Every structure is written in C-alpha cells, then in structure tokens.
Amino acid sequence: MKARYQYRLYPTNQQKRLLSQLFGCVRVVWNDTLAYCQELYQQGEKKPKYTELSKRLTQIKKTKEKQWLTEVSSIPLQQSLRDLETAYSNFFASCKGERKGKKVKPPKFKKRKSKQSARFTDNGFTVNQHHVTLAKIGDLKVVWSRPLPSKPSSVTVIKDAADRYFLSFVVEIQPETLPDNEQAVGIDLGIATFATLDTGEKINAPKPLKKRLKRLKKAQKNLSRKQKESKRREKARKRVAKIHAKIKDTRTDFLQKLSPRIFRENQTIVLEDLKTSGMVKNRKLSRAISDLGWRSFRDMLSAKSDKYGRDFRIISSWEPTSQRCSCCGNIGGKKALNIREWECFFCGTFHDRDINAAVNIKVAGGRSETLNGRVGKRKTTAKVAASCEASTQRSVVQLSLFDLPVITVRPRR
C-alpha cells in the first residue's frame, strides 16, 4: 500500500526565488488550461484530453509571451495538466453517480496567496543522505525526522500560507499486522469530552482554536485595517496564517498520537457515524465541533485499520445510543444535552451519559456483551419505547390514581 511521508524543508534565499518561480509557472499553466477548457465548454465543445492539452502547452512555450515557462522544469508543468485531468474526471464521475461520497465540485482557479505545490516524478529528483536534488532547483536541505521505508515514486514541494516549505514523498509500505488481542472498544465522541471509551476512560482534546481565539481575532482585526496590496498587509496576513498553522498542527499532533494508541490496544474499534457536515450548520456548536476534528479522527482510524490489520466498524447515526440503557436494553426516550447522568426507568441502573453511549456503540458493533448477558443489537417495541419518555431525570416519582387529590365541584348559586 502507498503512503505519504512529509518532511520540513529549509531552502536558501536563492532557492526560495527559484521555487517561487516554479510555483508561479505551475499556477499559470493550471489557470490558463482551466480557462481554455471553460471556454470550449461555453462554445458547446467537449473537454480536450490530456494529450491535446500537452501539445497545446508545448506550442505556448514557443510564444514570446510565455517563453519564460521554459526556465523551469517541464515535469511539474506536465503533472499540473495531469492533476487537472484527474480533477475533471472526479467531477464527471460524481455528476454521473459513479463516485461515492460527497459531491465533487469542478476545479477552481489557483490563487497566489494560498497554498502552492509542484510535483516531481522519479526522473526529476534524487534523494541523498542529507539533501534532495530537484531539477533546475538544486540541493535542498531536508530535516529527516524519520527514514524513508522505500524508494519514493514522486515528491511534492509544498509552500503553505505561513511560508513554510515541505517535501511530501509517495512511498510503498508493507502493512504491519499486529497480533490479535481479542479486545474491542466503543468510542463516543463529544464536545466537552473529545472521546469516551466504554471502559469509562474519558479523553480531553487540546482545543487549540479555543485557546488562541482571542489572539486570532486581534490579528484578523489588524489585518482588516491594512491597505490592500501593501507590505504591512502582507505581514499581517502571514501573522494570521501562522496562527492558523499552529492551531492545525496542535490538533493534528493530538489525533496522530491518539489513533495509534487505540489501534495497538484493541482489535475492533467501533465508532458512530456522525453527520459532521450537517452538525456544523448549527451556529452555536459549529466552532466547537470544528475545533475538535471528528472527521479527521475518523479518517485516521480508517487509514490505520488497513495498515495495522484491525477491524474498524461504523454504526448508524440513528442508533439510540444515548437513549438506550446499556444494562437492560430498554429505551428511555430523548434527553437534553445538559442531562449528563440519568437513572434507568426500568432496572434502576444509574448511568453516565457518555459511558452508557460508548457501551451501546460497542454492543451495536456486534463485539460486546452487556452486564446481563445480552449480545449484539437489542430490539425494543414501539409500545415500550413510547411508555418511557419520562426517564430523563435521576429520580422518578410514580403516582397512582388513588394518590391524586380529590377535587369537589360545587354548583354556583
């Protein structure tokens, strides 16, 4: 299986100038070809294939207006055309319903101030012990934080919005199958507590956006006051980009350390299918949900399950994990978010809301047993479910017909 290994890059001032020239040429080729495809579409013609676009690029290089495209390596320019072809293929497949998942939008024009990248194939770079040599760029100093497992097939030079440089290698790795420990875990994701395991362990997230929100607002307010296309505005923009980069790195570091730990301790991992795209539309919870990174955590678990040979399962979001008692299996009705502890109306068991949901997620995954010996999903009739809507409080007082006060109605005179 293929994987990406990313390393920090520290180019010199001259190499930064050459990389900036390379990024500009790649961006111009992408935007010019995209505009050409859109023009043909408006005229009612089909999108040209990669071979036609490649011949067109060769003719453009011979013109006086775009002759400066020959000053950089031709490999990233050709890869830019291939990336555009892939973007259009994914868009057409999504429109026809052949591609699963979220609808893919058509390719967009690249901006100068956003993330820049250029990809080299195996004949355009050389990996050495202390540096990497790129075509028409030279030897780049790389910080090897970990060794490459195999010979890379391609490398992508990346410059983010905070002016940091990276090298991303595509390598072939062998899946590391861990021994089966016959352990299973159910994970309930939340806002106050990032993850609650069925064992009762609660894991808190660093919440980097919440900690740096005041500083970020101040930097964004300072950016909005600067005059456009000025040097001070560019400095203010980089200051905001560095804060965003720090927030992203803190969140990614937390998720990258948590996901391997869960996979090494458990053979089966069960997670609930949360509709994050719909939940972030709630204006009161959108910032808190985005700060946690639920979707990134799920993608990491899915990717590492193939690498380590683990069983990763997703249960339906319609499963009443917070309403069902993990002891007797009866549904106690919906509960408000401020109710964190409750007592079962049927068996009298006192539950922590998150731990009870994690246990139900584990049971719904089909790899757990409850306290009374139940296995797998439970079935509850609609009559029983409708009769226990009032079990959201810790103590429930039942009144019979004979306990009600007697009211005497007298006729008016």
Side-chain angles (χ1 to χ4, degrees), residues 248-258 300:
K248 179 182 177 181
D249 293 345
T250 305
R251 184 185 301 116
T252 305
D253 179 72
F254 165 73
L255 299 178
Q256 289 285 8
K257 291 179 179 178
L258 176 61
M300 290 181 185

Side-chain angles (χ1 to χ4, degrees), residues 7-17 19 130-132 137-145 157-158 162-167:
Y7 302 89
R8 186 69 184 272
L9 176 65
Y10 293 94
T12 61
N13 293 332
Q14 183 180 2
Q15 291 173 347
K16 287 182 180 180
R17 183 184 62 82
L19 289 175
H130 301 289
H131 58 270
V132 175
I137 299 294
D139 298 338
L140 299 175
K141 183 181 178 181
V142 185
V143 179
W144 299 107
S145 55
V157 190
I158 302 173
D163 285 354
R164 298 183 303 174
Y165 294 85
F166 300 92
L167 284 180

Side-chain angles (χ1 to χ4, degrees), residues 127-162:
V127 180
N128 302 308
Q129 184 177 2
H130 301 289
H131 58 270
V132 175
T133 305
L134 298 180
K136 293 189 177 183
I137 299 294
D139 298 338
L140 299 175
K141 183 181 178 181
V142 185
V143 179
W144 299 107
S145 55
R146 53 179 176 171
L148 288 172
S150 61
K151 183 180 179 180
S153 59
S154 66
V155 60
T156 304
V157 190
I158 302 173
K159 177 187 175 184
D160 61 1

Side-chain angles (χ1 to χ4, degrees), residues 130-226:
H130 301 289
H131 58 270
V132 175
T133 305
L134 298 180
K136 293 189 177 183
I137 299 294
D139 298 338
L140 299 175
K141 183 181 178 181
V142 185
V143 179
W144 299 107
S145 55
R146 53 179 176 171
L148 288 172
S150 61
K151 183 180 179 180
S153 59
S154 66
V155 60
T156 304
V157 190
I158 302 173
K159 177 187 175 184
D160 61 1
D163 285 354
R164 298 183 303 174
Y165 294 85
F166 300 92
L167 284 180
S168 178
F169 297 91
V170 176
V171 295
E172 189 74 21
I173 62 174
Q174 296 296 331
E176 179 187 356
T177 304
L178 299 177
D180 189 355
N181 54 12
E182 299 182 357
Q183 298 292 329
V185 63
I187 305 176
D188 177 60
L189 300 179
I191 297 179
T193 303
F194 175 76
T196 303
L197 309 184
D198 63 284
T199 57
E201 180 183 0
K202 296 187 176 182
I203 303 173
N204 296 321
K207 298 181 180 180
L209 178 59
K210 183 179 180 180
K211 294 181 180 179
R212 296 175 176 84
L213 185 59
K214 185 176 180 181
R215 182 182 175 186
L216 179 61
K217 287 183 177 180
K218 184 177 179 180
Q220 290 176 337
K221 188 175 183 180
N222 188 25
L223 173 63
S224 63
R225 295 174 176 174
K226 297 295 184 290

Side-chain angles (χ1 to χ4, degrees), residues 33 36 54 87 95-96 118 143 187 189 195 197 237 257 274 282 298 321 356 358 363 400 402 411:
T33 308
Y36 175 70
S54 180
C95 294
K96 296 178 182 178
V143 179
I187 305 176
L189 300 179
L197 309 184
R237 185 198 65 80
K257 291 179 179 178
L274 298 177
N282 187 340
R298 172 178 170 176
T321 56
N356 176 76
V363 173
S400 64
F402 302 99

Side-chain angles (χ1 to χ4, degrees), residues 32-246:
D32 182 70
T33 308
L34 179 58
Y36 175 70
C37 294
Q38 292 181 354
E39 182 181 357
L40 292 180
Y41 174 76
Q42 293 177 357
Q43 296 176 1
E45 300 181 10
K46 294 184 178 180
K47 188 191 77 64
K49 298 182 179 180
Y50 165 74
T51 55
E52 300 177 9
L53 296 178
S54 180
K55 293 179 181 179
R56 179 177 176 273
L57 177 60
T58 304
Q59 297 297 329
I60 290 177
K61 287 183 179 181
K62 298 179 180 180
T63 61
K64 294 182 179 181
E65 294 80 6
K66 299 294 180 62
Q67 191 176 3
W68 42 269
L69 290 176
T70 58
E71 299 178 3
V72 300
S73 176
S74 61
I75 298 176
L77 304 184
Q78 294 293 333
Q79 295 302 318
S80 179
L81 298 180
R82 294 183 182 273
D83 294 340
L84 182 62
E85 181 73 16
T86 304
Y88 265 115
S89 299
N90 295 335
F91 170 65
F92 294 148
S94 180
C95 294
K96 296 178 182 178
E98 300 174 357
R99 181 183 176 91
K100 297 181 180 180
K102 189 178 180 181
K103 292 292 184 181
V104 179
K105 297 182 180 180
K108 299 180 180 180
F109 292 96
K110 291 186 177 182
K111 298 181 180 179
R112 183 181 178 184
K113 301 296 183 181
S114 59
K115 179 180 176 181
Q116 307 291 324
S117 63
R119 184 156 55 96
F120 290 82
T121 53
D122 54 355
N123 57 345
F125 69 97
T126 305
V127 180
N128 302 308
Q129 184 177 2
H130 301 289
H131 58 270
V132 175
T133 305
L134 298 180
K136 293 189 177 183
I137 299 294
D139 298 338
L140 299 175
K141 183 181 178 181
V142 185
V143 179
W144 299 107
S145 55
R146 53 179 176 171
L148 288 172
S150 61
K151 183 180 179 180
S153 59
S154 66
V155 60
T156 304
V157 190
I158 302 173
K159 177 187 175 184
D160 61 1
D163 285 354
R164 298 183 303 174
Y165 294 85
F166 300 92
L167 284 180
S168 178
F169 297 91
V170 176
V171 295
E172 189 74 21
I173 62 174
Q174 296 296 331
E176 179 187 356
T177 304
L178 299 177
D180 189 355
N181 54 12
E182 299 182 357
Q183 298 292 329
V185 63
I187 305 176
D188 177 60
L189 300 179
I191 297 179
T193 303
F194 175 76
T196 303
L197 309 184
D198 63 284
T199 57
E201 180 183 0
K202 296 187 176 182
I203 303 173
N204 296 321
K207 298 181 180 180
L209 178 59
K210 183 179 180 180
K211 294 181 180 179
R212 296 175 176 84
L213 185 59
K214 185 176 180 181
R215 182 182 175 186
L216 179 61
K217 287 183 177 180
K218 184 177 179 180
Q220 290 176 337
K221 188 175 183 180
N222 188 25
L223 173 63
S224 63
R225 295 174 176 174
K226 297 295 184 290
Q227 184 179 359
K228 292 185 177 181
E229 304 300 333
S230 63
K231 293 184 178 180
R232 291 187 177 182
R233 183 179 179 85
E234 180 64 18
K235 291 182 179 180
R237 185 198 65 80
K238 291 182 180 180
R239 194 177 299 113
V240 174
K242 288 181 179 179
I243 298 176
H244 280 293
K246 184 64 177 179

